[in-house]
Amino acid sequence: MYYGIDYTYIIYVMPALLFAMYAQFMVNSRFSKYSKVYSQRGMTGAEAARLILDNNGLQNVQIRHISGHLSDHYDPRTRTVNLSDSVYSSTSIASIGVAAHEVGHAIQHATNYAPMSIRSAIVPITNIGSSLSMPLFIIGLLFNFDFLAVAGIILFSLVAIFQLVTLPVEFNASNRALRTLESYNMLSDDELGNTKKVLGAAAMTYVAALLTSLAQLLRLLAIFGRNRDD
């Protein structure tokens, strides 16, 4: 049962999925809580992002207002910081923290931060791996083509590698954000502490993504080994 629930799913994947659900709950809960706590300076997420960008010589990086909830991201292709409805015009400490985090990615891009460069470089092959790994693995098992199953496992491992490289990128962006917010006096000490809780919860979702990928990879190895024994 490659997509069903068998003992390999229960042993390897289910604990990781439960942790991922917990991490997602925590980030939603903390963002919701601190999106109701407004900063003393009254600066919006977009204003905070613009200030940090300009102070780092990144006047050419644009800020865009996009739809969605927590859909914020930095796009290195267009050099744009994209802020969602709940961040762009909000003066909450959660919104300022998220905006500063995304600007952290823009700074990483501008300074050629190595993990981000590596992540960007492996995106195309990771996309191939995520789309072809499972079909190759299943076909290999069904027709006893071990080389196809192994190819599927190798391709899926690229997904785990991508998630691994993503961790320092995200943690570094959050650390940059917190240091910047503190050094620019954009948030008070209390506000900064609560913003750290929001960014910390967001970081855990990336840890959960890595654990889920590793768990699925272990499951594929277990299924492949069992199939060979049979």
Side-chain angles (χ1 to χ4, degrees):
M1 298 177 64
Y2 314 119
Y3 287 104
I5 297 178
D6 61 355
Y7 82 92
T8 62
Y9 184 91
I10 295 172
I11 293 175
Y12 297 112
V13 180
M14 188 171 291
L17 289 180
L18 290 175
F19 178 71
M21 292 171 61
Y22 171 74
Q24 192 61 49
F25 168 78
M26 288 302 298
V27 70
N28 287 330
S29 175
R30 288 187 177 176
F31 184 85
S32 177
K33 178 179 179 179
Y34 293 110
S35 64
K36 299 179 179 66
V37 178
Y38 302 104
S39 68
Q40 295 175 9
R41 293 189 60 179
M43 184 176 291
T44 67
E47 290 171 342
R50 186 73 271 162
L51 176 61
I52 300 172
L53 287 169
D54 290 347
N55 283 349
N56 282 273
L58 297 177
Q59 290 83 0
N60 60 327
V61 175
Q62 301 299 309
I63 300 172
R64 293 181 179 173
H65 185 182
I66 60 174
S67 60
H69 175 65
L70 293 181
S71 52
D72 312 87
H73 64 280
Y74 170 70
D75 190 340
R77 297 167 300 179
T78 58
R79 297 182 65 85
T80 57
V81 173
N82 300 275
L83 302 180
S84 65
D85 293 329
S86 53
V87 171
Y88 186 89
S89 58
S90 173
T91 61
S92 73
I93 61 174
S95 300
I96 292 173
V98 170
H101 173 92
E102 298 307 331
V103 171
H105 288 312
I107 297 173
Q108 289 174 339
H109 185 209
T111 58
N112 295 315
Y113 179 61
M116 187 177 192
S117 299
I118 294 171
R119 186 177 73 168
S120 297
I122 65 175
V123 164
I125 192 171
T126 301
N127 290 336
I128 295 174
S130 63
S131 60
L132 293 181
S133 58
M134 285 301 179
L136 288 177
F137 180 76
I138 293 174
I139 292 172
L141 291 188
L142 290 177
F143 295 98
N144 290 320
F145 294 155
D146 285 355
F147 71 96
L148 284 182
V150 171
I153 293 173
I154 293 174
L155 286 175
F156 189 84
S157 68
L158 297 176
V159 177
I161 292 173
F162 177 82
Q163 298 293 353
L164 179 63
V165 175
T166 293
L167 284 187
V169 174
E170 297 300 331
F171 277 90
N172 178 266
S174 290
N175 289 334
R176 286 175 187 266
L178 293 170
R179 290 197 304 268
T180 299
L181 293 173
E182 181 179 21
S183 63
Y184 292 1
N185 293 315
M186 298 172 71
L187 295 178
S188 68
D189 290 342
D190 289 342
E191 291 173 336
L192 196 66
N194 290 328
T195 300
K196 185 175 182 179
K197 294 178 183 178
V198 176
L199 296 181
M204 285 302 100
T205 63
Y206 294 99
V207 175
L210 173 60
L211 292 178
T212 301
S213 296
L214 291 175
Q216 183 64 17
L217 180 59
L218 289 173
R219 185 190 184 210
L220 296 182
L221 290 170
I223 292 173
F224 178 69
R226 182 179 63 186
N227 187 73
R228 293 195 68 182
D229 291 339
D230 293 342

